[in-house]
Amino acid sequence: IYYACYRKGAFHKADGARITTIDKLPFKTSDGDLVYDAAARKARGWIWDIALDGEAPVIVFAAMPTDKDHRYRYARWAGEKWEHHEVAPAGPFIASPQEQHYSGGIYLDHANPDVAYLSRQVEGHWDLGRWETADGGKTWKSAKLAVGDKATKNIRPITPRNARPDDLAVLWMQGTYNYWTDYKTRLMAWPMK
């Protein structure tokens, strides 16, 4: 997983170093910041979301040592380097064996990237929770928002951008999900505090 951002006609690393300008594209992925080297860990890494905490980027992603062992991770630019920590085990893939890299999902609260909403398998069912860190992702406190059962999954959370305090905090899919073309879900919502 690499990071680069675009500002005022140029691409930059997290420390502000310029990679290239828009008129000199393309650039190599490896010219950006290496955030997570999945290949070195004999795993896969899939991005879920990115947000800014002030000027510092925060990324959540799934690391997959195996198709049946997805793990959510939280990466934060710490001023001089990227730091990343595991948030929680996510369980296996959510869909049929044809899509073994589909995790339940993790998404940041863009107003407060110390908060993430995530779907994970717990005791055979897919629950949705609100997770919060106060130390850059080293430790987490969690609260369940929705508990699934063996037939009903709570997956794919997202947070609305620029929400007002009385708006919704998180939306997610609830129902059966077998494949990207074979699902029967409804949208669920959880209000702000």
Side-chain angles (χ1 to χ4, degrees):
I1 294 173
Y2 289 89
Y3 171 84
C5 70
Y6 174 78
R7 283 192 311 268
K8 299 179 182 176
F11 293 87
H12 302 269
K13 294 184 176 188
D15 67 1
R18 181 183 289 189
I19 299 169
T20 192
T21 58
I22 196 163
D23 58 331
K24 294 184 181 173
L25 289 176
F27 66 90
K28 294 181 216 162
T29 305
S30 59
D31 291 338
D33 289 326
L34 177 61
V35 177
Y36 180 77
D37 190 347
R41 297 167 188 258
K42 296 184 170 74
R44 291 180 181 258
W46 283 35
I47 294 284
W48 272 96
D49 194 20
I50 184 168
L52 291 176
D53 188 1
E55 293 292 317
V58 177
I59 301 170
V60 286
F61 60 97
M64 294 165 253
T66 71
D67 297 334
K68 294 184 180 180
D69 182 15
H70 296 206
R71 299 188 170 261
Y72 294 132
R73 297 192 65 86
Y74 179 90
R76 174 183 285 274
W77 176 251
E80 295 183 11
K81 65 178 183 168
W82 285 92
E83 294 181 356
H84 53 84
H85 304 282
E86 184 171 308
V87 179
F93 52 88
I94 62 168
S96 69
Q98 295 164 297
E99 297 294 350
Q100 295 180 1
H101 307 113
Y102 281 15
S103 306
I106 181 171
Y107 207 81
L108 293 164
D109 179 338
H110 284 246
N112 179 6
D114 289 336
V115 173
Y117 295 93
L118 63 89
S119 166
R120 69 187 194 128
Q121 190 180 68
V122 178
E123 298 176 2
H125 49 82
W126 291 89
D127 294 348
L128 184 84
R130 180 185 186 277
W131 292 63
E132 186 167 5
T133 183
D135 58 10
K138 293 176 190 164
T139 61
W140 294 85
K141 292 182 182 178
S142 66
K144 286 185 182 181
L145 300 181
V147 177
D149 57 40
K150 295 206 187 287
T152 303
K153 297 174 181 168
N154 294 291
I155 56 173
R156 302 290 201 235
I158 63 162
T159 58
R161 305 271 175 100
N162 303 314
R164 297 178 308 237
D166 58 342
D167 283 340
L168 304 173
V170 62
L171 302 166
W172 72 95
M173 296 167 62
Q174 183 182 72
T176 59
Y177 189 100
N178 300 315
Y179 192 58
W180 69 276
T181 58
D182 180 15
Y183 58 91
K184 189 171 185 178
T185 60
R186 61 184 174 202
L187 291 180
M188 303 296 290
W190 189 264
M192 296 264 189
K193 296 179 192 177

